[in-house]
Amino acid sequence: QAELAESGGDSVQAGGSLRLSCSASQYTYPSAAMGWVRQPPEKGREGVAAINIRVGGTYYGDSVQGRFTVSWDNAEKTLYLQMNDLKPEDTAMYYCVAGATIETIVLNPLERALDAWGQGTMVTVSS
């Protein structure tokens, strides 16, 4: 079983909402931060949102600020991303990631800079 397992990706109309989930029950490395990184088709990766799972601080990318909300359920070891007012430019593969800081996840989402990555879940937003 994958250490980080995403679910919830789907195809929606612009203006709609989706909630992504990431089960981290099999993830045992003591990362302080969890978050989401996305990769649109034929484009580079972009940090979306992150949360410090120890103290609760959050960090969002400029393009999703005010529309997306990241949260962590410590009892269930599950990370969520509530996405509202979706736009076609939100179309991407969304990856659940673990890292040392929320800033690293959003500002420097390189594979070598993070502790773990999920397999991804696809979100498609049509206009």
Side-chain angles (χ1 to χ4, degrees):
Q1 186 172 350
E3 290 187 314
L4 299 177
E6 306 94 333
S7 61
D10 205 344
S11 296
V12 297
Q13 296 277 341
S17 298
L18 277 177
R19 189 176 80 157
L20 305 183
S21 301
C22 172
S23 173
S25 60
Q26 301 299 313
Y27 184 65
T28 58
Y29 190 79
S31 299
M34 300 285 295
W36 298 89
V37 172
R38 68 185 181 186
Q39 185 166 18
E42 300 181 7
K43 294 185 178 180
R45 289 174 175 170
E46 174 191 9
V48 176
I51 184 167
N52 185 306
I53 63 174
R54 298 172 185 172
V55 299
T58 57
Y59 199 105
Y60 293 92
D62 290 343
S63 62
V64 306
Q65 182 77 44
R67 299 188 297 123
F68 291 10
T69 302
V70 62
S71 59
W72 169 255
D73 184 329
N74 196 53
E76 297 293 329
K77 295 294 187 284
T78 301
L79 180 74
Y80 298 100
L81 184 68
Q82 178 66 44
M83 305 186 293
N84 297 328
D85 190 23
L86 283 161
K87 304 176 180 181
E89 51 264 42
D90 294 318
T91 294
M93 183 71 79
Y94 283 72
Y95 297 93
C96 174
V97 301
T101 70
I102 55 177
E103 292 84 0
T104 299
I105 289 174
V106 176
L107 301 178
N108 189 35
L110 301 177
E111 194 154 352
R112 63 178 181 273
L114 299 176
D115 299 330
W117 292 71
Q119 293 299 305
T121 187
M122 188 67 196
V123 172
T124 303
V125 185
S126 57
S127 57

